[in-house]
Each structure stands twice: as C-alpha cells, then as structure tokens.
Amino acid sequence: MTSETMIAAMLYGVRDLRVEEVKKPHIERGEALVKVKTSTTCGTDLKIFQRGYVEKVIKLPTVFGHEWAGDVVEVGEGDTWLEKGMRIRAGNSAPCLQCKMCQKGKFNLCEDMVWLWGAYAEYIRVPARTVLVNAQKIPAHVSYEEAAMAEPLACVLHGAEEAGVELGDTVAVIGAGPIGLLHVLVARKLGAGRIIVSDLIDERLDFARKLGADETINAKAKDAVETVKQLTSGYGADVVIEAIGQPATWEQAAKMACKGGTVLEFGGCPPNTEIRLNTELLHYGEVTVMGAFHATPTHFKKAMNLIASGTLDVKPLVTRRLPLNKIKEAFEILSSSKTDVKIAIQP
Ligand SMILES: [Zn+2]
Ligand SMILES: [Zn+2]
C-alpha cells in the first residue's frame, strides 16, 4: 500500500461488502482530510446492507457508513477554523442555506444537500460546506465512539422535538433497536412520566429497561396495541414513536395514541409503501400523525453538547468493537444477534 491509497469498505450489492485498497481522497480548498478513528454502525446501514440502495440513486460500488469521528490530518487552502491534529466529527449532511426549505428554516429538508458517506475507511474527505456548517471539535474528555453517535442522536433529538414530548407524558416506543433505545434515553431526559417499549426480542426489551423504559411488551407474545391501552387505563399513549420502519408498525403506532396524542412515524419504510389510517382517529380523536427526517446542524451541535456534558450517556449502545477488515462480519452479526446494538469499527 502506498501513501496514495487507503483501506475502505465498498458496497457492491446486497450483502456484498468488501474491504479494498482504494485511492486516498484528495482535498481541495476549504476541505479537510480526516483519519477516521472510529465509526459506528447504524440501522440505516444495516437496511442498505440487507436490502440495497434505492436503484439509480447511488452507483455501485459505493463507499459506506456515515457515523464517524477522527483526527484532521490535512487542511485545504483557505480560511477554515480547522487545524491539523484537531479531533473532530461531522454530520453526514450540510444544507445549502439558500433553497426554499433552508429559507423556511427546515435545514433537514434542504433540496441541495451535500451528503457525506464513507465512514468505514481509513480516511474521509470532509466537503467545504460541511466544514463550515456541520462539523464540530470533540472535547478532550469525549471518546471518538461517543462523538460518532452524535449523528443518530441528532436525528432522535429532532424527532422528539417535533413530537413535543412533555413532562409527565406516557411515551410508547415501537422498536428497541439503536434508534428506539436513543428515543428512550431522550424521552426519559425530557421528563416522560412513563415509557413503554415494544419489540419482538426479549433481550432488546431487557436492554430498553436498563436504559430507562418502565414497561416492555414482547409483541410476539402479546398484542402491542391492546397492551398499551391496558397499561394506560384504555386511553393510549400521549406520544407514540415508531422506530422500526415498516408500514405495519406505522399503522400500529397510530392505534396506540390517546385522543389528542401525537404519533411520530420515525423509521423510514421501504420505497413506495403506503399506510391506512382510520379517519375517525384524526377527526374525533384529534390524533396528530407526523414524520421526521434527519436533523439540522443545530441538532448535531446539541447532540454533541449533550454527550459532552454527560446529560445523555450513549456509551452503553456500543456493544462490540471490531476492526475495519471485519466490517462484513459486523453486519452479519447485526443481522442475527439479539444482544448487539451498535458495533464500533476501528480502522
Ligand atoms: Zn446513522
Ligand atoms: Zn437548502
């Protein structure tokens, strides 16, 4: 291997992930080259590994991974706040600040977003716009692993904010994967009075209880909607959060809410899917059903600050560490394991 190349995971297709020697990224004005110290696996990555990208959107083979933290090793020309040797993390998106959505303050819905993929590699090139609007220095006491998890936490903070979780609320979370578990942590911090989590795997429900869930439902053994109703004297939850990404659980979520409640459909479903909603639920029940996508640079900063201040402890979510050359094994483990949540990948 020469200094012009590096090791990176390349996705060739469904379950076809290879670790290869590729060209090391070349940086231009305003950009930064970062040596990745840790990247963390994400539910979205797992979905892409298991069912592939939306065709035509991404050309295969492609770099992969978007949760990372590392050291700046090269800074492009021009004025930037970055310095060589700085420990940084960056969001996987940088809004343009110019389009209609950005002008409305909906930076997460920017129509000209600069995306950033390629965290499962020795080096990552951070685009100039990302350096400017969505990168942060990592405080010395925060590990690379924790800093990498600012990305999923940012998305969860955005979702919780949209759903308006309030002090004393009963919050039902469908799905105890990494995102569902982050929702449990955040809802607890926001003052949820009671948190009910449903999943199909007992081990995951145990984990949810350790992170603060009050009640858990194994949806294989019990009807989740009925059980939430029973646990809430027939009313349903004030806020329901779907963290799986299947039309069936999106529909289930809507049925779990109390009158005047909010349903946050958080998990991304497969393309071209639809759900059925009972009109009475929305009319007579005044149930609000909403989605949430991604996060804004503000949420990324907030996430990093909440981790740095110790307000939210994301450390327990990393259940295993593996070197970059075992990346495929990492995703195979996540496909079948009942106890793994996130795996930290170290190049
Ligand atoms: Zn992620
Ligand atoms: Zn924009």
Side-chain angles (χ1 to χ4, degrees):
M1 205 169 65
T2 70
S3 61
E4 292 300 304
T5 61
M6 67 168 184
I7 297 297
M10 299 295 288
L11 186 74
Y12 278 79
V14 172
R15 289 187 184 267
D16 188 0
L17 186 59
R18 306 177 201 169
V19 176
E20 293 182 337
E21 195 177 328
V22 300
K23 251 188 97 187
K24 194 164 145 185
H26 174 79
I27 60 159
E28 310 224 336
R29 198 176 174 82
E31 299 183 336
L33 186 70
V34 174
K35 186 166 185 14
V36 177
K37 301 295 272 191
T38 298
S39 43
T40 45
T41 60
C42 172
T44 309
D45 296 341
L46 181 62
K47 275 187 205 170
I48 293 167
F49 176 78
Q50 288 172 333
R51 68 187 187 205
Y53 273 113
V54 183
E55 267 176 74
K56 290 176 204 156
V57 173
I58 301 269
K59 250 178 80 188
L60 295 171
T62 176
V63 292
F64 197 41
H66 60 274
E67 299 178 7
W68 60 273
D71 295 338
V72 175
V73 289
E74 232 183 278
V75 181
E77 273 176 59
D79 287 331
T80 107
W81 58 275
L82 289 178
E83 284 163 31
K84 251 190 199 179
M86 219 179 230
R87 299 166 79 235
I88 69 157
R89 66 154 305 280
N92 57 330
S93 64
C96 74
L97 315 181
Q98 299 274 341
C99 73
K100 184 170 178 185
M101 290 301 127
C102 283
Q103 295 289 317
K104 282 175 79 165
K106 299 263 183 195
F107 301 109
N108 57 311
L109 300 181
C110 172
E111 285 167 336
D112 186 24
M113 197 79 99
V114 167
W115 292 101
L116 176 56
W117 313 106
Y120 304 132
E122 276 183 293
Y123 295 92
I124 190 164
R125 178 186 69 92
V126 186
R129 195 201 282 173
T130 312
V131 168
L132 212 58
V133 304
N134 203 2
Q136 295 112 40
K137 189 175 171 180
I138 305 169
H141 69 281
V142 177
S143 68
Y144 293 107
E145 228 167 76
E146 290 170 272
M149 285 186 276
E151 192 275 334
L153 179 58
C155 300
V156 166
L157 290 176
H158 169 239
E161 200 175 281
E162 294 289 311
V165 177
E166 281 176 21
L167 201 61
D169 275 352
T170 294
V171 178
V173 179
I174 304 177
I179 290 294
L181 293 171
L182 280 172
H183 272 294
V184 170
L185 285 178
V186 169
R188 190 90 283 169
K189 252 323 153 197
L190 288 170
R194 199 172 183 199
I195 302 174
I196 307 167
V197 180
S198 71
D199 196 280
L200 299 172
I201 300 170
D202 281 330
E203 287 81 351
R204 291 194 164 211
L205 292 170
D206 292 342
F207 208 102
R209 222 176 280 123
K210 263 185 223 150
L211 294 186
D214 301 294
E215 322 263 358
T216 54
I217 305 164
N218 188 323
K220 236 189 225 166
K222 282 186 196 164
D223 184 290
V225 175
E226 281 308 307
T227 314
V228 167
K229 291 264 157 118
Q230 275 164 24
L231 289 169
T232 52
S233 315
Y235 288 105
D238 299 298
V239 177
V240 183
I241 301 170
E242 198 276 2
I244 293 180
Q246 290 295 339
T249 36
W250 274 42
E251 289 181 1
Q252 207 179 56
K255 292 176 190 159
M256 276 182 190
C258 70
K259 280 188 176 177
T262 303
V263 178
L264 174 67
E265 307 286 20
F266 194 85
C269 291
N272 295 316
T273 46
E274 289 176 358
I275 59 162
R276 281 170 70 96
L277 277 179
N278 182 306
T279 53
E280 290 174 32
L281 198 79
L282 269 67
H283 184 73
Y284 299 108
E286 290 193 354
V287 168
T288 303
V289 179
M290 57 164 52
F293 172 67
H294 199 55
T296 71
T298 306
H299 294 108
F300 283 94
K301 284 193 188 78
K302 246 189 222 177
M304 188 71 248
N305 292 344
L306 289 168
I307 291 169
S309 65
T311 308
L312 287 169
D313 183 11
V314 294
K315 287 192 291 287
L317 294 183
V318 170
T319 48
R320 197 187 289 256
R321 288 166 190 88
L322 284 172
L324 179 57
N325 59 21
K326 294 258 172 73
I327 182 90
K328 189 163 187 234
E329 194 183 315
F331 281 102
E332 297 292 358
I333 290 169
L334 291 172
S335 300
S336 58
S337 169
K338 291 182 173 175
T339 49
D340 278 285
V341 180
K342 282 172 103 67
I343 300 181
I345 305 292
Q346 283 136 351

